[in-house]
Amino acid sequence: MDFVVMVMFILVLSLTASPPFLVPVLGSRYGQWSTERKLINSWGSEDLVTNLPGQPKVHFQHYAGYVTVNEKSGRALFYWFYEASTLPNDKPLVLWLNGASGARLLIGRKGARFALIKKVDKVTRNLHVSGPGCSSVGYGATQEIGPFIVDSEGHALKLNPYAWNTEANMLFVESPVGVGFSYSNTTAEYDSLGDDFTANDAYTFLHKWFLKFPSYKSRMFYVAGESYAGKYVPELAELILDKNKDPSLFIDLRGILLGNPETSDAEDWKGLVDYAWSHAVVSDETHTTIRDSCDFNSNNPWSNEDCSQAVDEVLKQYKVIDIYSLYTSVCIGNSTGSEQTTLQVMFRSTSKMMPRIMGGYDPCLDGYATTYYNRPDVQKALHVSDGQNLKQWSICNMEIFKSWSDSKESVLPIYKKLISAGLRIWVYSGDTDGRVPVLSTRYSLSSLGLPITRAWRPWYHNKQVGGWLQEYKGLTFATFRGAGHAVPIFKPSESLAFFSSFLRGESPSPPFER
């Protein structure tokens, strides 16, 4: 009888104790975890994803759902969290954000903002967009570094052998509200979105997320992202540093990792046009006109008509290729006509013959993700809807893009602050990206005037040159040879090795390991 009483007492404690508490995880879906006891939080367990359509069997758990960041306005951010595939309790937590837009810098200067809305519409109509208003689930998690890649035009998932959750616990957030599944019940808020708004919501999100998953509150923490996240990430890191002065709000931020990041408007623009010229996208005459007439440091460089027309010419040339990946095919899935349809079929056939592991690149991934996340069974599995009242998911929200009200012209002052605080800062560039090209990033980092601690040199992966590397006092910069804007899509194995080096704080493989 005493044994029965003791068992009942333990059961009562498990149901009433404040989280976290130990519960057994059941089911063959989770492989090795099916026979182990795992530390989880009662609130977080409500978001456990158990029946994701098309998901391959995995040996880790993942969670998806909402965190309300403002109760009064009904503002909530959607997240998807993947535990590390092995030893999750021993590995850091990494937040991934996506960000920059196809023609964001056209309206970066306040003086030219409204006058250029029509120009932005004209340019972005035929440009792939990945910026304020775009989804980290649709890009980072689904196409780049998550464990599941959408395949077969949205009908299934395949395992990504180079997923970053092999090295860390990975958290993806659709930010700001209006992006992906994230929303606000106060629609007027969509008109006031900007950098500061986004940083504050992301910060609030983190602390509320830690209430769901308290075992991660004291974990080593990093923030990573690409493109316009080049502004999101430093701004959030600065906010964390400032708030860490209050011990009760402390987050153990160790560093930031940025890929092809928008950094400083003037340098980004100069790099964009110089790169287009140096890679034979535009003529000598167009480049000369830009060089002679454009002052990208001015409040309104577009007031000079010669400058404006010459930059239009650059963007016009980029409309016929993929600005994010100069040397790969464009997606022609929506095109019509027998010739284009034949090309489409040929491309898809070739694409399937070149699997991801061999470096194959499918430019139609955006469409596959859109199909998948608008499925009723997928939304139900991700705790987005009941499977009946669906939410319309898109990979980018162009209304947010066009109405963005606050964009810092440069985050280089924040870089200096983060360097002074001793954070690890690594920046990388795919060298076939024309949108935020390697030249833009080199111009921006050069303007910091940091002392060089290790000179420019190649770094290696599997005995081949992965790119080039330079280490400064407080910052590391690397290129990825032959990679476009979203580097992990093009160089998945190299990217994972680079990410692992970043977490260890060790330089990528040096030449002598070739």
Side-chain angles (χ1 to χ4, degrees):
M1 183 67 180
D2 290 343
F3 174 79
V4 174
V5 171
M6 181 178 67
V7 171
M8 292 181 66
F9 177 71
I10 293 173
L11 287 172
V12 170
L13 280 180
S14 69
L15 293 172
T16 59
S18 298
F21 59 90
L22 290 171
V23 298
V25 178
L26 304 177
S28 60
R29 173 183 292 273
Y30 303 109
Q32 66 186 36
W33 295 112
S34 62
T35 58
E36 297 182 5
R37 294 167 66 84
K38 192 163 185 238
L39 186 65
I40 64 173
N41 179 275
S42 60
W43 297 341
S45 63
E46 297 174 355
D47 292 344
L48 181 67
V49 178
T50 57
N51 295 295
L52 185 64
Q55 178 195 309
K57 182 179 178 179
V58 294
H59 299 289
F60 59 86
Q61 293 182 347
H62 56 112
Y63 303 78
Y66 285 102
V67 170
T68 300
V69 293
N70 190 298
E71 298 285 349
K72 183 177 180 180
S73 66
R75 200 160 71 241
L77 298 180
F78 177 78
Y79 79 91
W80 198 343
F81 171 57
Y82 305 91
E83 290 184 339
S85 56
T86 59
L87 303 174
N89 292 330
D90 299 333
K91 292 179 178 176
L93 174 66
V94 177
L95 170 66
W96 174 273
L97 300 171
N98 270 87
S101 63
R104 174 65 200 140
L105 287 180
L106 280 172
I107 53 176
R109 298 287 180 174
K110 296 178 181 178
R113 190 180 190 315
F114 296 104
L116 285 163
I117 288 293
K118 184 176 292 186
K119 178 184 289 188
V120 170
D121 285 341
K122 178 180 67 176
V123 171
T124 59
R125 188 175 300 121
N126 294 305
L127 286 180
H128 168 73
V129 177
S130 60
C134 294
S135 168
S136 64
V137 168
Y139 284 110
T142 301
Q143 299 186 24
E144 302 179 60
I145 61 175
F148 309 126
I149 304 296
V150 176
D151 195 12
S152 302
E153 301 187 31
H155 300 307
L157 299 172
K158 60 180 179 179
L159 282 176
N160 177 8
Y162 305 108
W164 285 14
N165 76 322
T166 59
E167 298 293 331
N169 300 280
M170 297 297 303
L171 176 59
F172 298 85
V173 180
E174 293 191 311
S175 176
V177 290
V179 173
F181 292 126
S182 297
Y183 68 91
S184 174
N185 290 330
T186 306
T187 56
E189 289 187 333
Y190 296 135
D191 296 326
S192 58
L193 299 177
D195 287 6
D196 288 342
F197 189 107
T198 302
N200 280 287
D201 266 9
Y203 182 79
T204 301
F205 167 88
L206 284 172
H207 279 288
K208 292 199 170 187
W209 188 86
F210 287 136
L211 295 178
K212 282 178 173 280
F213 299 90
S215 63
Y216 288 93
K217 178 67 170 66
S218 59
R219 199 71 60 93
M220 288 189 297
F221 180 63
Y222 299 88
V223 188
E226 67 190 10
S227 209
Y228 197 78
K231 295 191 176 181
Y232 287 162
V233 171
E235 289 165 352
L236 175 58
E238 180 184 36
L239 186 57
I240 292 173
L241 281 184
D242 291 343
K243 297 288 188 179
N244 274 352
K245 296 172 184 177
D246 181 345
S248 67
L249 298 176
F250 184 78
I251 295 174
D252 191 14
L253 178 65
R254 298 298 184 92
I256 62 174
L257 176 66
L258 299 167
N260 289 80
E262 291 195 22
T263 306
S264 175
D265 289 1
E267 283 75 15
D268 287 348
W269 260 120
K270 184 177 185 298
L272 187 151
V273 297
D274 287 352
Y275 184 90
W277 170 72
S278 65
H279 286 71
V281 176
V282 296
S283 67
D284 292 348
E285 292 76 19
T286 296
H287 184 252
T288 299
T289 299
I290 293 173
R291 185 188 60 197
D292 294 343
S293 63
C294 291
D295 180 4
F296 294 121
N297 287 297
S298 70
N299 289 329
N300 186 3
W302 318 115
S303 61
N304 185 307
E305 188 63 24
D306 289 341
C307 172
S308 183
Q309 289 181 3
V311 172
D312 275 346
E313 178 63 22
V314 175
L315 300 175
K316 175 184 175 183
Q317 297 306 321
Y318 271 131
K319 285 169 64 177
V320 298
I321 60 173
D322 187 347
I323 189 174
Y324 294 91
S325 176
L326 264 64
Y327 306 118
T328 55
S329 303
V330 298
C331 181
I332 53 177
N334 294 324
S335 43
T336 59
S338 59
E339 180 180 357
Q340 292 176 323
T341 301
T342 301
L343 288 174
Q344 176 186 342
V345 171
M346 288 174 60
F347 173 77
R348 288 181 178 171
S349 175
T350 304
S351 166
K352 291 177 180 178
M353 292 170 62
M354 292 196 309
R356 183 180 175 82
I357 194 170
M358 297 300 292
Y361 170 65
D362 186 343
C364 299
L365 286 171
D366 288 9
Y368 304 162
T370 301
T371 298
Y372 187 76
Y373 291 118
N374 280 300
R375 287 173 50 173
D377 52 354
V378 171
Q379 292 195 9
K380 185 175 182 179
L382 296 177
H383 310 115
V384 170
S385 73
D386 58 6
Q388 300 294 324
N389 302 303
L390 301 183
K391 295 191 176 180
Q392 186 64 38
W393 186 91
S394 61
I395 201 162
C396 292
N397 184 331
M398 287 304 297
E399 292 306 312
I400 289 177
F401 161 68
K402 290 187 287 187
S403 63
W404 200 253
S405 62
D406 164 38
S407 178
K408 288 183 174 58
E409 293 181 3
S410 175
V411 292
L412 291 175
I414 300 178
Y415 271 54
K416 294 178 180 179
K417 183 175 180 178
L418 301 181
I419 291 171
S420 296
L423 292 187
R424 184 179 306 154
I425 302 174
W426 282 27
V427 181
Y428 63 89
S429 287
D431 62 12
T432 66
D433 173 30
R435 175 57 190 88
V436 190
V438 63
L439 287 182
S440 294
T441 304
R442 293 178 77 172
Y443 290 160
S444 293
L445 297 182
S446 177
S447 69
L448 286 171
L450 299 173
I452 297 171
T453 57
R454 295 187 69 185
W456 187 266
R457 65 193 187 281
W459 64 273
Y460 289 80
H461 178 69
N462 292 337
K463 299 183 179 181
Q464 298 294 330
V465 174
W468 280 263
L469 181 77
Q470 185 150 289
E471 294 176 69
Y472 301 89
K473 185 176 182 181
L475 187 147
T476 295
F477 172 64
T479 71
F480 278 77
R481 186 167 65 100
H485 187 70
V487 168
I489 292 179
F490 301 89
K491 300 292 180 178
S493 179
E494 291 89 338
S495 296
L496 178 59
F498 187 82
F499 177 59
S500 179
S501 295
F502 165 74
L503 293 177
R504 296 194 309 269
E506 300 175 358
S507 298
S509 298
F512 60 78
E513 293 186 8
R514 185 171 182 176

mmCIF file with all atom_site columns, all heavy atoms in Angstrom, residues 296-315:
data_model
loop_
_atom_site.group_PDB
_atom_site.id
_atom_site.type_symbol
_atom_site.label_atom_id
_atom_site.label_alt_id
_atom_site.label_comp_id
_atom_site.label_asym_id
_atom_site.label_entity_id
_atom_site.label_seq_id
_atom_site.pdbx_PDB_ins_code
_atom_site.Cartn_x
_atom_site.Cartn_y
_atom_site.Cartn_z
_atom_site.occupancy
_atom_site.B_iso_or_equiv
_atom_site.pdbx_formal_charge
_atom_site.auth_seq_id
_atom_site.auth_comp_id
_atom_site.auth_asym_id
_atom_site.auth_atom_id
_atom_site.pdbx_PDB_model_num
ATOM 1   N N   . PHE A 1 296 ? 26.562 58.630 -53.073 1.00 0.00 ? 296 PHE A N   1
ATOM 2   C CA  . PHE A 1 296 ? 25.711 57.784 -52.244 1.00 0.00 ? 296 PHE A CA  1
ATOM 3   C C   . PHE A 1 296 ? 25.729 58.182 -50.773 1.00 0.00 ? 296 PHE A C   1
ATOM 4   O O   . PHE A 1 296 ? 24.922 57.690 -49.984 1.00 0.00 ? 296 PHE A O   1
ATOM 5   C CB  . PHE A 1 296 ? 26.126 56.319 -52.398 1.00 0.00 ? 296 PHE A CB  1
ATOM 6   C CG  . PHE A 1 296 ? 25.894 55.772 -53.773 1.00 0.00 ? 296 PHE A CG  1
ATOM 7   C CD1 . PHE A 1 296 ? 26.947 55.260 -54.518 1.00 0.00 ? 296 PHE A CD1 1
ATOM 8   C CD2 . PHE A 1 296 ? 24.636 55.781 -54.340 1.00 0.00 ? 296 PHE A CD2 1
ATOM 9   C CE1 . PHE A 1 296 ? 26.734 54.758 -55.791 1.00 0.00 ? 296 PHE A CE1 1
ATOM 10  C CE2 . PHE A 1 296 ? 24.405 55.291 -55.609 1.00 0.00 ? 296 PHE A CE2 1
ATOM 11  C CZ  . PHE A 1 296 ? 25.460 54.770 -56.343 1.00 0.00 ? 296 PHE A CZ  1
ATOM 12  N N   . ASN A 1 297 ? 26.641 59.066 -50.394 1.00 0.00 ? 297 ASN A N   1
ATOM 13  C CA  . ASN A 1 297 ? 26.673 59.562 -49.020 1.00 0.00 ? 297 ASN A CA  1
ATOM 14  C C   . ASN A 1 297 ? 25.731 60.746 -48.800 1.00 0.00 ? 297 ASN A C   1
ATOM 15  O O   . ASN A 1 297 ? 25.543 61.180 -47.670 1.00 0.00 ? 297 ASN A O   1
ATOM 16  C CB  . ASN A 1 297 ? 28.097 59.982 -48.632 1.00 0.00 ? 297 ASN A CB  1
ATOM 17  C CG  . ASN A 1 297 ? 29.009 58.781 -48.421 1.00 0.00 ? 297 ASN A CG  1
ATOM 18  O OD1 . ASN A 1 297 ? 28.800 57.966 -47.531 1.00 0.00 ? 297 ASN A OD1 1
ATOM 19  N ND2 . ASN A 1 297 ? 30.021 58.667 -49.277 1.00 0.00 ? 297 ASN A ND2 1
ATOM 20  N N   . SER A 1 298 ? 25.145 61.244 -49.876 1.00 0.00 ? 298 SER A N   1
ATOM 21  C CA  . SER A 1 298 ? 24.245 62.389 -49.730 1.00 0.00 ? 298 SER A CA  1
ATOM 22  C C   . SER A 1 298 ? 22.879 61.926 -49.233 1.00 0.00 ? 298 SER A C   1
ATOM 23  O O   . SER A 1 298 ? 22.550 60.739 -49.255 1.00 0.00 ? 298 SER A O   1
ATOM 24  C CB  . SER A 1 298 ? 24.078 63.107 -51.074 1.00 0.00 ? 298 SER A CB  1
ATOM 25  O OG  . SER A 1 298 ? 23.326 62.315 -51.972 1.00 0.00 ? 298 SER A OG  1
ATOM 26  N N   . ASN A 1 299 ? 22.066 62.866 -48.761 1.00 0.00 ? 299 ASN A N   1
ATOM 27  C CA  . ASN A 1 299 ? 20.734 62.536 -48.265 1.00 0.00 ? 299 ASN A CA  1
ATOM 28  C C   . ASN A 1 299 ? 19.808 62.058 -49.377 1.00 0.00 ? 299 ASN A C   1
ATOM 29  O O   . ASN A 1 299 ? 18.855 61.325 -49.128 1.00 0.00 ? 299 ASN A O   1
ATOM 30  C CB  . ASN A 1 299 ? 20.102 63.746 -47.567 1.00 0.00 ? 299 ASN A CB  1
ATOM 31  C CG  . ASN A 1 299 ? 20.772 64.034 -46.237 1.00 0.00 ? 299 ASN A CG  1
ATOM 32  O OD1 . ASN A 1 299 ? 21.249 63.111 -45.580 1.00 0.00 ? 299 ASN A OD1 1
ATOM 33  N ND2 . ASN A 1 299 ? 20.825 65.295 -45.856 1.00 0.00 ? 299 ASN A ND2 1
ATOM 34  N N   . ASN A 1 300 ? 20.068 62.495 -50.607 1.00 0.00 ? 300 ASN A N   1
ATOM 35  C CA  . ASN A 1 300 ? 19.215 62.081 -51.713 1.00 0.00 ? 300 ASN A CA  1
ATOM 36  C C   . ASN A 1 300 ? 20.044 61.977 -52.993 1.00 0.00 ? 300 ASN A C   1
ATOM 37  O O   . ASN A 1 300 ? 20.045 62.887 -53.824 1.00 0.00 ? 300 ASN A O   1
ATOM 38  C CB  . ASN A 1 300 ? 18.058 63.078 -51.905 1.00 0.00 ? 300 ASN A CB  1
ATOM 39  C CG  . ASN A 1 300 ? 17.062 62.599 -52.946 1.00 0.00 ? 300 ASN A CG  1
ATOM 40  O OD1 . ASN A 1 300 ? 17.198 61.503 -53.493 1.00 0.00 ? 300 ASN A OD1 1
ATOM 41  N ND2 . ASN A 1 300 ? 16.072 63.417 -53.232 1.00 0.00 ? 300 ASN A ND2 1
ATOM 42  N N   . PRO A 1 301 ? 20.741 60.847 -53.169 1.00 0.00 ? 301 PRO A N   1
ATOM 43  C CA  . PRO A 1 301 ? 21.565 60.704 -54.374 1.00 0.00 ? 301 PRO A CA  1
ATOM 44  C C   . PRO A 1 301 ? 20.732 60.677 -55.649 1.00 0.00 ? 301 PRO A C   1
ATOM 45  O O   . PRO A 1 301 ? 21.239 60.971 -56.732 1.00 0.00 ? 301 PRO A O   1
ATOM 46  C CB  . PRO A 1 301 ? 22.271 59.357 -54.155 1.00 0.00 ? 301 PRO A CB  1
ATOM 47  C CG  . PRO A 1 301 ? 21.413 58.623 -53.193 1.00 0.00 ? 301 PRO A CG  1
ATOM 48  C CD  . PRO A 1 301 ? 20.800 59.655 -52.310 1.00 0.00 ? 301 PRO A CD  1
ATOM 49  N N   . TRP A 1 302 ? 19.433 60.365 -55.514 1.00 0.00 ? 302 TRP A N   1
ATOM 50  C CA  . TRP A 1 302 ? 18.584 60.223 -56.689 1.00 0.00 ? 302 TRP A CA  1
ATOM 51  C C   . TRP A 1 302 ? 18.098 61.562 -57.236 1.00 0.00 ? 302 TRP A C   1
ATOM 52  O O   . TRP A 1 302 ? 17.438 61.603 -58.284 1.00 0.00 ? 302 TRP A O   1
ATOM 53  C CB  . TRP A 1 302 ? 17.388 59.338 -56.360 1.00 0.00 ? 302 TRP A CB  1
ATOM 54  C CG  . TRP A 1 302 ? 17.811 58.169 -55.530 1.00 0.00 ? 302 TRP A CG  1
ATOM 55  C CD1 . TRP A 1 302 ? 17.456 57.899 -54.243 1.00 0.00 ? 302 TRP A CD1 1
ATOM 56  C CD2 . TRP A 1 302 ? 18.720 57.133 -55.908 1.00 0.00 ? 302 TRP A CD2 1
ATOM 57  N NE1 . TRP A 1 302 ? 18.075 56.760 -53.801 1.00 0.00 ? 302 TRP A NE1 1
ATOM 58  C CE2 . TRP A 1 302 ? 18.859 56.267 -54.808 1.00 0.00 ? 302 TRP A CE2 1
ATOM 59  C CE3 . TRP A 1 302 ? 19.432 56.860 -57.070 1.00 0.00 ? 302 TRP A CE3 1
ATOM 60  C CZ2 . TRP A 1 302 ? 19.678 55.138 -54.838 1.00 0.00 ? 302 TRP A CZ2 1
ATOM 61  C CZ3 . TRP A 1 302 ? 20.251 55.742 -57.096 1.00 0.00 ? 302 TRP A CZ3 1
ATOM 62  C CH2 . TRP A 1 302 ? 20.370 54.898 -55.992 1.00 0.00 ? 302 TRP A CH2 1
ATOM 63  N N   . SER A 1 303 ? 18.412 62.658 -56.549 1.00 0.00 ? 303 SER A N   1
ATOM 64  C CA  . SER A 1 303 ? 18.041 63.970 -57.084 1.00 0.00 ? 303 SER A CA  1
ATOM 65  C C   . SER A 1 303 ? 18.853 64.300 -58.329 1.00 0.00 ? 303 SER A C   1
ATOM 66  O O   . SER A 1 303 ? 18.471 65.170 -59.122 1.00 0.00 ? 303 SER A O   1
ATOM 67  C CB  . SER A 1 303 ? 18.245 65.058 -56.022 1.00 0.00 ? 303 SER A CB  1
ATOM 68  O OG  . SER A 1 303 ? 19.603 65.124 -55.633 1.00 0.00 ? 303 SER A OG  1
ATOM 69  N N   . ASN A 1 304 ? 19.975 63.634 -58.500 1.00 0.00 ? 304 ASN A N   1
ATOM 70  C CA  . ASN A 1 304 ? 20.782 63.774 -59.711 1.00 0.00 ? 304 ASN A CA  1
ATOM 71  C C   . ASN A 1 304 ? 20.210 62.839 -60.773 1.00 0.00 ? 304 ASN A C   1
ATOM 72  O O   . ASN A 1 304 ? 20.269 61.612 -60.637 1.00 0.00 ? 304 ASN A O   1
ATOM 73  C CB  . ASN A 1 304 ? 22.246 63.415 -59.409 1.00 0.00 ? 304 ASN A CB  1
ATOM 74  C CG  . ASN A 1 304 ? 23.155 63.641 -60.587 1.00 0.00 ? 304 ASN A CG  1
ATOM 75  O OD1 . ASN A 1 304 ? 22.899 63.153 -61.683 1.00 0.00 ? 304 ASN A OD1 1
ATOM 76  N ND2 . ASN A 1 304 ? 24.239 64.375 -60.365 1.00 0.00 ? 304 ASN A ND2 1
ATOM 77  N N   . GLU A 1 305 ? 19.642 63.402 -61.811 1.00 0.00 ? 305 GLU A N   1
ATOM 78  C CA  . GLU A 1 305 ? 18.947 62.609 -62.822 1.00 0.00 ? 305 GLU A CA  1
ATOM 79  C C   . GLU A 1 305 ? 19.883 61.638 -63.544 1.00 0.00 ? 305 GLU A C   1
ATOM 80  O O   . GLU A 1 305 ? 19.506 60.502 -63.850 1.00 0.00 ? 305 GLU A O   1
ATOM 81  C CB  . GLU A 1 305 ? 18.276 63.534 -63.841 1.00 0.00 ? 305 GLU A CB  1
ATOM 82  C CG  . GLU A 1 305 ? 17.364 62.821 -64.821 1.00 0.00 ? 305 GLU A CG  1
ATOM 83  C CD  . GLU A 1 305 ? 16.183 62.156 -64.138 1.00 0.00 ? 305 GLU A CD  1
ATOM 84  O OE1 . GLU A 1 305 ? 15.802 62.585 -63.024 1.00 0.00 ? 305 GLU A OE1 1
ATOM 85  O OE2 . GLU A 1 305 ? 15.651 61.178 -64.718 1.00 0.00 ? 305 GLU A OE2 1
ATOM 86  N N   . ASP A 1 306 ? 21.120 62.082 -63.826 1.00 0.00 ? 306 ASP A N   1
ATOM 87  C CA  . ASP A 1 306 ? 22.068 61.182 -64.487 1.00 0.00 ? 306 ASP A CA  1
ATOM 88  C C   . ASP A 1 306 ? 22.345 59.965 -63.617 1.00 0.00 ? 306 ASP A C   1
ATOM 89  O O   . ASP A 1 306 ? 22.406 58.823 -64.103 1.00 0.00 ? 306 ASP A O   1
ATOM 90  C CB  . ASP A 1 306 ? 23.378 61.922 -64.777 1.00 0.00 ? 306 ASP A CB  1
ATOM 91  C CG  . ASP A 1 306 ? 23.237 62.945 -65.887 1.00 0.00 ? 306 ASP A CG  1
ATOM 92  O OD1 . ASP A 1 306 ? 22.266 62.840 -66.662 1.00 0.00 ? 306 ASP A OD1 1
ATOM 93  O OD2 . ASP A 1 306 ? 24.092 63.847 -65.976 1.00 0.00 ? 306 ASP A OD2 1
ATOM 94  N N   . CYS A 1 307 ? 22.514 60.206 -62.322 1.00 0.00 ? 307 CYS A N   1
ATOM 95  C CA  . CYS A 1 307 ? 22.757 59.108 -61.384 1.00 0.00 ? 307 CYS A CA  1
ATOM 96  C C   . CYS A 1 307 ? 21.566 58.161 -61.352 1.00 0.00 ? 307 CYS A C   1
ATOM 97  O O   . CYS A 1 307 ? 21.714 56.936 -61.460 1.00 0.00 ? 307 CYS A O   1
ATOM 98  C CB  . CYS A 1 307 ? 23.022 59.665 -59.986 1.00 0.00 ? 307 CYS A CB  1
ATOM 99  S SG  . CYS A 1 307 ? 23.104 58.399 -58.684 1.00 0.00 ? 307 CYS A SG  1
ATOM 100 N N   . SER A 1 308 ? 20.376 58.718 -61.210 1.00 0.00 ? 308 SER A N   1
ATOM 101 C CA  . SER A 1 308 ? 19.164 57.904 -61.102 1.00 0.00 ? 308 SER A CA  1
ATOM 102 C C   . SER A 1 308 ? 18.965 57.035 -62.340 1.00 0.00 ? 308 SER A C   1
ATOM 103 O O   . SER A 1 308 ? 18.653 55.839 -62.247 1.00 0.00 ? 308 SER A O   1
ATOM 104 C CB  . SER A 1 308 ? 17.952 58.809 -60.891 1.00 0.00 ? 308 SER A CB  1
ATOM 105 O OG  . SER A 1 308 ? 16.781 58.053 -60.721 1.00 0.00 ? 308 SER A OG  1
ATOM 106 N N   . GLN A 1 309 ? 19.153 57.612 -63.521 1.00 0.00 ? 309 GLN A N   1
ATOM 107 C CA  . GLN A 1 309 ? 18.957 56.858 -64.755 1.00 0.00 ? 309 GLN A CA  1
ATOM 108 C C   . GLN A 1 309 ? 20.021 55.765 -64.921 1.00 0.00 ? 309 GLN A C   1
ATOM 109 O O   . GLN A 1 309 ? 19.723 54.659 -65.400 1.00 0.00 ? 309 GLN A O   1
ATOM 110 C CB  . GLN A 1 309 ? 18.974 57.800 -65.949 1.00 0.00 ? 309 GLN A CB  1
ATOM 111 C CG  . GLN A 1 309 ? 17.743 58.702 -66.035 1.00 0.00 ? 309 GLN A CG  1
ATOM 112 C CD  . GLN A 1 309 ? 17.771 59.607 -67.252 1.00 0.00 ? 309 GLN A CD  1
ATOM 113 O OE1 . GLN A 1 309 ? 18.683 59.536 -68.077 1.00 0.00 ? 309 GLN A OE1 1
ATOM 114 N NE2 . GLN A 1 309 ? 16.771 60.459 -67.380 1.00 0.00 ? 309 GLN A NE2 1
ATOM 115 N N   . ALA A 1 310 ? 21.240 56.057 -64.513 1.00 0.00 ? 310 ALA A N   1
ATOM 116 C CA  . ALA A 1 310 ? 22.307 55.067 -64.653 1.00 0.00 ? 310 ALA A CA  1
ATOM 117 C C   . ALA A 1 310 ? 22.086 53.888 -63.701 1.00 0.00 ? 310 ALA A C   1
ATOM 118 O O   . ALA A 1 310 ? 22.304 52.726 -64.076 1.00 0.00 ? 310 ALA A O   1
ATOM 119 C CB  . ALA A 1 310 ? 23.662 55.717 -64.374 1.00 0.00 ? 310 ALA A CB  1
ATOM 120 N N   . VAL A 1 311 ? 21.627 54.181 -62.484 1.00 0.00 ? 311 VAL A N   1
ATOM 121 C CA  . VAL A 1 311 ? 21.329 53.095 -61.547 1.00 0.00 ? 311 VAL A CA  1
ATOM 122 C C   . VAL A 1 311 ? 20.134 52.286 -62.041 1.00 0.00 ? 311 VAL A C   1
ATOM 123 O O   . VAL A 1 311 ? 20.100 51.058 -61.907 1.00 0.00 ? 311 VAL A O   1
ATOM 124 C CB  . VAL A 1 311 ? 21.081 53.652 -60.130 1.00 0.00 ? 311 VAL A CB  1
ATOM 125 C CG1 . VAL A 1 311 ? 20.571 52.545 -59.204 1.00 0.00 ? 311 VAL A CG1 1
ATOM 126 C CG2 . VAL A 1 311 ? 22.365 54.248 -59.562 1.00 0.00 ? 311 VAL A CG2 1
ATOM 127 N N   . ASP A 1 312 ? 19.146 52.967 -62.634 1.00 0.00 ? 312 ASP A N   1
ATOM 128 C CA  . ASP A 1 312 ? 18.027 52.250 -63.256 1.00 0.00 ? 312 ASP A CA  1
ATOM 129 C C   . ASP A 1 312 ? 18.533 51.249 -64.292 1.00 0.00 ? 312 ASP A C   1
ATOM 130 O O   . ASP A 1 312 ? 17.994 50.141 -64.424 1.00 0.00 ? 312 ASP A O   1
ATOM 131 C CB  . ASP A 1 312 ? 17.072 53.232 -63.941 1.00 0.00 ? 312 ASP A CB  1
ATOM 132 C CG  . ASP A 1 312 ? 16.061 53.815 -62.976 1.00 0.00 ? 312 ASP A CG  1
ATOM 133 O OD1 . ASP A 1 312 ? 15.933 53.272 -61.866 1.00 0.00 ? 312 ASP A OD1 1
ATOM 134 O OD2 . ASP A 1 312 ? 15.411 54.812 -63.336 1.00 0.00 ? 312 ASP A OD2 1
ATOM 135 N N   . GLU A 1 313 ? 19.554 51.644 -65.033 1.00 0.00 ? 313 GLU A N   1
ATOM 136 C CA  . GLU A 1 313 ? 20.112 50.757 -66.046 1.00 0.00 ? 313 GLU A CA  1
ATOM 137 C C   . GLU A 1 313 ? 20.730 49.514 -65.405 1.00 0.00 ? 313 GLU A C   1
ATOM 138 O O   . GLU A 1 313 ? 20.596 48.400 -65.935 1.00 0.00 ? 313 GLU A O   1
ATOM 139 C CB  . GLU A 1 313 ? 21.167 51.498 -66.878 1.00 0.00 ? 313 GLU A CB  1
ATOM 140 C CG  . GLU A 1 313 ? 21.855 50.654 -67.944 1.00 0.00 ? 313 GLU A CG  1
ATOM 141 C CD  . GLU A 1 313 ? 20.895 50.146 -69.012 1.00 0.00 ? 313 GLU A CD  1
ATOM 142 O OE1 . GLU A 1 313 ? 19.814 50.743 -69.207 1.00 0.00 ? 313 GLU A OE1 1
ATOM 143 O OE2 . GLU A 1 313 ? 21.222 49.113 -69.649 1.00 0.00 ? 313 GLU A OE2 1
ATOM 144 N N   . VAL A 1 314 ? 21.402 49.691 -64.267 1.00 0.00 ? 314 VAL A N   1
ATOM 145 C CA  . VAL A 1 314 ? 21.956 48.535 -63.558 1.00 0.00 ? 314 VAL A CA  1
ATOM 146 C C   . VAL A 1 314 ? 20.844 47.575 -63.171 1.00 0.00 ? 314 VAL A C   1
ATOM 147 O O   . VAL A 1 314 ? 20.913 46.365 -63.427 1.00 0.00 ? 314 VAL A O   1
ATOM 148 C CB  . VAL A 1 314 ? 22.725 48.989 -62.299 1.00 0.00 ? 314 VAL A CB  1
ATOM 149 C CG1 . VAL A 1 314 ? 23.204 47.765 -61.503 1.00 0.00 ? 314 VAL A CG1 1
ATOM 150 C CG2 . VAL A 1 314 ? 23.911 49.869 -62.661 1.00 0.00 ? 314 VAL A CG2 1
ATOM 151 N N   . LEU A 1 315 ? 19.778 48.118 -62.570 1.00 0.00 ? 315 LEU A N   1
ATOM 152 C CA  . LEU A 1 315 ? 18.675 47.279 -62.121 1.00 0.00 ? 315 LEU A CA  1
ATOM 153 C C   . LEU A 1 315 ? 17.926 46.652 -63.291 1.00 0.00 ? 315 LEU A C   1
ATOM 154 O O   . LEU A 1 315 ? 17.431 45.527 -63.191 1.00 0.00 ? 315 LEU A O   1
ATOM 155 C CB  . LEU A 1 315 ? 17.734 48.098 -61.243 1.00 0.00 ? 315 LEU A CB  1
ATOM 156 C CG  . LEU A 1 315 ? 18.386 48.675 -59.981 1.00 0.00 ? 315 LEU A CG  1
ATOM 157 C CD1 . LEU A 1 315 ? 17.415 49.566 -59.232 1.00 0.00 ? 315 LEU A CD1 1
ATOM 158 C CD2 . LEU A 1 315 ? 18.888 47.562 -59.072 1.00 0.00 ? 315 LEU A CD2 1
#
